[in-house]
Amino acid sequence: MSTTKDLRDFDSLFQLLDYFTTEEICEQHLAVIRWNGETTCPYCESTKVNTLKGKTQRYKCYGCRKQFGVKVGTIFHDSKISLRKWFVAIYLVTAHKKGISSCQLARDLKITQKAAWFVLQRIRETYNAKAEQFTSTVEIDETYIGGKETNKHQNKKIQNAQGGKGKIPVLGILERDGKVFAIPVRNKSSKQLLPIMVDKVAAGTTIYTDEWKAYKPLGKSFNHSFVCHSANEYVSGNVHTNGIENFWSLLKRGIDGIYHQVSEQHLHRYVNEFTFRFNNRELSEGSKFDVALANGTNKRLNYKTLING
């Protein structure tokens, strides 16, 4: 079996379909991405594994005595959808700059909309990678995700909705010329935001924000400077938050244009999706596909957990 270094780097959907012509080829590719030549039991993590004979590729562990396939313990676990369709879905949602809706994916793969939505949510689960701690200059800002009150039905409008009432706040931390970390939060208070910022940014790092009062305690542990948006000050030398606001623009255009509406329960997965694409923007389409595929080999999400949280 070839190693990951020999894997082909796909640059288009046509190349993907032209290479993955059978389910067996897909399983071999997944096995290489997952184990890189050393098959490991997903139940007990033993490497004492033997390959069984048969039409489908199966393995037997001599540690726990269980049999398994390459999809066990991954996002493909117990899925009746073929790996060929899964690979196309991963490629589409990863390569499309603003994502792809479940309705469109259902038509592209010839599956139901419900199945397509579940596929997309499981793919988004792979984007939930633990962010590294930022050590260079960062920009921190927050935004609100939610519909405009003027567009809502009368019985769903919220009275006195100023200040983001009825919307979900999202905190974003962007390293200049680097990666971004974003996460939905309960509110914009210092008590809610400060622990996240302290955890994700190394002490002594230069931080640029706006004048929001929750950022004032940052001066104790960081080199903190800010611009005053309320006074129409948006850039003061190197001090600005234009980078993180650019990411907010990408996120909101994607949600408004493709998904239209997302629930608070699943918002974090959509945020992770746009974060993944932004952080891997320098990679080729094939490389992003393999990164997403590799992330999905150690995650599993069943429908009951997805719905009930």
Side-chain angles (χ1 to χ4, degrees):
M1 183 179 293
S2 60
T3 64
T4 52
K5 293 182 180 179
D6 300 324
L7 293 176
R8 186 174 172 184
D9 192 12
F10 302 103
D11 292 318
S12 68
L13 179 60
F14 176 80
Q15 287 180 306
L16 183 87
L17 294 172
D18 193 41
Y19 184 78
F20 292 115
T21 55
T22 65
E23 196 74 1
E24 290 72 25
I25 295 176
C26 294
E27 289 185 357
Q28 291 173 8
H29 184 85
L30 180 59
V32 171
I33 290 291
R34 185 177 188 182
W35 296 315
N36 196 22
E38 187 177 24
T39 307
T40 305
C41 176
Y43 299 107
C44 68
E45 298 185 354
S46 171
T47 56
K48 296 180 179 179
V49 175
N50 187 33
T51 303
L52 302 178
K53 295 181 180 180
K55 293 182 179 179
T56 59
Q57 188 68 72
R58 300 284 297 175
Y59 306 90
K60 183 175 181 179
C61 174
Y62 289 97
C64 62
R65 313 296 295 180
K66 292 182 179 179
Q67 294 186 16
F68 59 92
V70 69
K71 296 189 288 185
V72 171
T74 69
I75 60 170
F76 316 110
H77 192 107
D78 285 341
S79 175
K80 296 181 180 179
I81 299 174
S82 68
L83 278 179
R84 288 193 73 215
K85 290 188 176 183
W86 267 104
F87 282 13
V88 170
I90 292 174
Y91 187 91
L92 291 176
V93 71
T94 303
H96 287 192
K97 302 303 181 183
K98 297 180 183 178
I100 183 172
S101 70
S102 59
C103 294
Q104 182 62 54
L105 186 65
R107 290 191 290 269
D108 290 343
L109 299 185
K110 205 170 183 179
I111 58 178
T112 66
Q113 185 273 333
K114 182 179 179 180
W117 181 81
F118 188 25
V119 165
L120 287 173
Q121 294 291 36
R122 283 196 275 186
I123 293 173
R124 293 185 185 106
E125 190 73 11
T126 70
Y127 298 150
N128 187 23
K130 187 176 181 181
E132 301 175 359
Q133 191 177 51
F134 298 117
T135 57
S136 301
T137 301
V138 299
E139 301 173 17
I140 299 180
D141 192 31
E142 75 292 328
T143 191
Y144 286 106
I145 301 296
K148 297 180 179 179
E149 294 300 315
T150 55
N151 295 336
K152 295 181 180 180
H153 291 291
Q154 189 63 38
N155 62 341
K156 294 184 179 180
K157 289 184 177 181
I158 300 175
Q159 300 298 324
N160 302 319
Q162 294 84 359
K165 186 178 180 181
K167 297 185 179 182
I168 309 168
V170 180
L171 175 68
I173 305 173
L174 178 135
E175 190 173 42
R176 289 269 174 96
D177 299 321
K179 295 185 177 183
V180 67
F181 171 80
I183 184 173
V185 293
R186 293 182 179 179
N187 53 62
K188 292 170 53 178
S189 67
S190 180
K191 183 178 180 181
Q192 177 74 205
L193 302 184
L194 192 60
I196 301 174
M197 295 183 289
V198 170
D199 178 58
K200 298 301 178 184
V201 184
T205 301
T206 299
I207 295 179
Y208 298 142
T209 69
D210 57 23
E211 74 278 17
W212 176 239
K213 60 183 180 181
Y215 299 134
K216 290 183 179 180
L218 290 175
K220 298 179 181 179
S221 303
F222 304 94
N223 180 19
H224 178 218
S225 301
F226 63 90
V227 288
C228 191
H229 289 170
S230 60
N232 293 325
E233 181 188 38
Y234 297 98
V235 179
S236 177
N238 290 326
V239 184
H240 61 79
T241 58
N242 294 343
I244 185 64
E245 288 172 2
N246 174 62
F247 174 73
W248 294 144
S249 178
L250 295 173
L251 173 64
K252 291 183 177 181
R253 284 204 300 265
I255 291 178
D256 293 343
I258 301 297
Y259 303 121
H260 306 309
Q261 187 270 339
V262 297
S263 67
E264 182 175 2
Q265 178 183 356
H266 302 297
L267 175 61
H268 65 285
R269 292 190 176 90
Y270 291 89
V271 172
N272 290 339
E273 174 189 337
F274 285 88
T275 299
F276 175 87
R277 274 197 292 267
F278 185 89
N279 290 342
N280 294 282
R281 60 193 181 278
E282 301 297 333
L283 298 179
S284 66
E285 305 298 353
S287 296
K288 285 188 286 188
F289 168 81
D290 271 350
V291 171
L293 191 62
N295 290 345
T297 58
N298 59 359
K299 294 181 182 292
R300 183 185 174 188
L301 179 66
N302 58 46
Y303 194 77
K304 184 177 181 180
T305 302
L306 175 63
I307 297 301
N308 297 332

